[in-house]
């Protein structure tokens, strides 16, 4: 069964750092495209970052230069290193496998992890 | 950035009703559109990808249409488990963007 399990969330003071983990089973993270998506309390979904199988990465402007996506192939795990955290980064963070069929113009997030809550507050 | 605008923001409907949710992109995105369903406290669930392809295991009462800038999610006959929030999302170009969501409530 394909599954994602996030961990690492918690309460952190503004300006602090946190690393989220996303452990995968049933598929190989290193040969997949992966994304992070967040959802602030009571709000909609916001795409955060993307990593290709070749390691190239993309970020939302709101987190660029503060967040870094990476992976550990030996642990089959995706990470999101979050630095210089702000109150507006408070959200549930989801990781998702990203599948693409370029010839059909299709790309989608599935499955999603259960999410991990990050609260940035003093 | 490509803006995704959903309408309506909320809708009240009854079991058995046909419901249509629209999503408009600020520029053409071909078929690079997916639809998700989210229930409170749960992760989003993929319904439709490529604008009109039904994800395996999703009931056939869900369907998607559209290409370019205008897209539609149709639920042909609402069931009690369909009351949730629905999001569209474009994957035509980075940064990927979601619509603001449509909350489907019981009338």
């Amino acid at each position: 069964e394909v599954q994602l399990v996030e961990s690492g969330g918690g309460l952190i003071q503004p300006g602090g750092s946190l690393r989220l983990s996303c452990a995968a089973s049933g598929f190989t993270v290193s040969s997949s495209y992966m994304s992070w998506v967040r959802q602030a309390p009571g709000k909609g979904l916001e795409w955060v970052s993307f990593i290709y199988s070749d390691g190239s990465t993309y970020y939302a402007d709101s987190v660029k230069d503060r967040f870094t996506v990476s992976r550990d192939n030996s642990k089959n795990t995706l990470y999101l290193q979050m630095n210089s955290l702000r109150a507006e980064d408070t959200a549930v963070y989801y990781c998702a496998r990203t599948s693409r069929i370029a010839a059909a113009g299709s790309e989608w997030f599935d499955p999603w992890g259960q999410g991990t809550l990050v609260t940035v507050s003093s | 950035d490509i803006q995704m605008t959903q309408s309506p923001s909320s809708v009240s409907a009854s079991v058995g009703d046909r419901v249509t949710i629209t999503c408009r992109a600020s520029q053409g995105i071909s078929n690079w559109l997916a639809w998700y369903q989210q229930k409170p406290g749960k992760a989003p669930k993929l319904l439709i990808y490529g604008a009109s392809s039904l994800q395996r295991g999703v009931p056939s009462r869900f369907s998607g249409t559209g290409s370019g800038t205008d897209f539609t999610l149709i639920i042909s006959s609402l069931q009690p488990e369909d009351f949730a929030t629905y999001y569209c999302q474009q994957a035509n170009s980075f940064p990927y963007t979601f619509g603001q969501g449509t909350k489907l409530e019981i009338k």
Side-chain angles (χ1 to χ4, degrees), chain A residues 22-45:
Chain A
C22 170
S25 56
F27 72 100
T28 303
V29 167
S30 63
S31 58
S32 302
Y33 303 164
M34 300 292 296
S35 297
W36 287 96
V37 176
R38 68 184 181 183
Q39 186 169 37
K43 303 298 184 182
L45 300 169

Side-chain angles (χ1 to χ4, degrees), chain B residues 43-105:
Chain B
K45 172 188 172 183
L46 175 69
L47 300 175
I48 302 283
Y49 61 93
S52 60
S53 296
L54 189 68
Q55 170 67 349
R56 191 181 312 173
V58 174
S60 59
R61 63 181 179 272
F62 291 91
S63 62
T65 66
S67 183
T69 60
D70 294 308
F71 302 87
T72 301
L73 174 70
I74 298 168
I75 310 173
S76 60
S77 178
L78 273 174
Q79 298 302 300
E81 60 268 29
D82 299 337
F83 292 95
T85 300
Y86 294 83
Y87 295 92
C88 62
Q89 176 246 329
Q90 68 82 17
N92 179 77
S93 60
F94 293 111
Y96 292 169
T97 45
F98 290 86
Q100 81 279 13
T102 295
K103 187 173 184 178
L104 179 50
E105 299 175 302

Side-chain angles (χ1 to χ4, degrees), chain A residues 15-107:
Chain A
S17 297
L18 208 57
R19 189 180 77 161
L20 305 183
S21 300
C22 170
S25 56
F27 72 100
T28 303
V29 167
S30 63
S31 58
S32 302
Y33 303 164
M34 300 292 296
S35 297
W36 287 96
V37 176
R38 68 184 181 183
Q39 186 169 37
K43 303 298 184 182
L45 300 169
E46 180 188 16
W47 171 80
V48 172
S49 71
F50 180 102
I51 184 167
Y52 277 106
S53 51
D54 68 0
S56 54
T57 57
Y58 292 85
Y59 298 93
D61 286 346
S62 58
V63 307
K64 200 173 296 180
D65 301 325
R66 299 188 300 122
F67 290 11
T68 302
V69 59
S70 64
R71 60 195 181 208
D72 184 329
N73 298 342
S74 67
K75 296 182 178 179
N76 205 31
T77 298
L78 181 75
Y79 299 101
L80 186 67
Q81 177 67 43
M82 304 185 296
N83 299 331
S84 303
L85 283 162
R86 307 166 179 167
E88 54 264 36
D89 296 319
T90 294
V92 173
Y93 285 74
Y94 299 100
C95 62
R97 185 178 66 175
T98 307
S99 298
R100 176 184 294 178
I101 304 176
S106 298
E107 183 167 323

Side-chain angles (χ1 to χ4, degrees), chain B residues 16-47:
Chain B
D17 283 353
R18 176 185 175 94
V19 171
T20 300
I21 299 170
T22 64
C23 179
R24 175 164 289 176
S26 60
Q27 64 189 74
I29 60 170
S30 186
N31 294 331
W32 296 90
L33 184 102
W35 289 97
Y36 301 88
Q37 176 194 67
Q38 188 180 33
K39 296 182 179 180
K42 300 295 187 181
K45 172 188 172 183
L46 175 69
L47 300 175

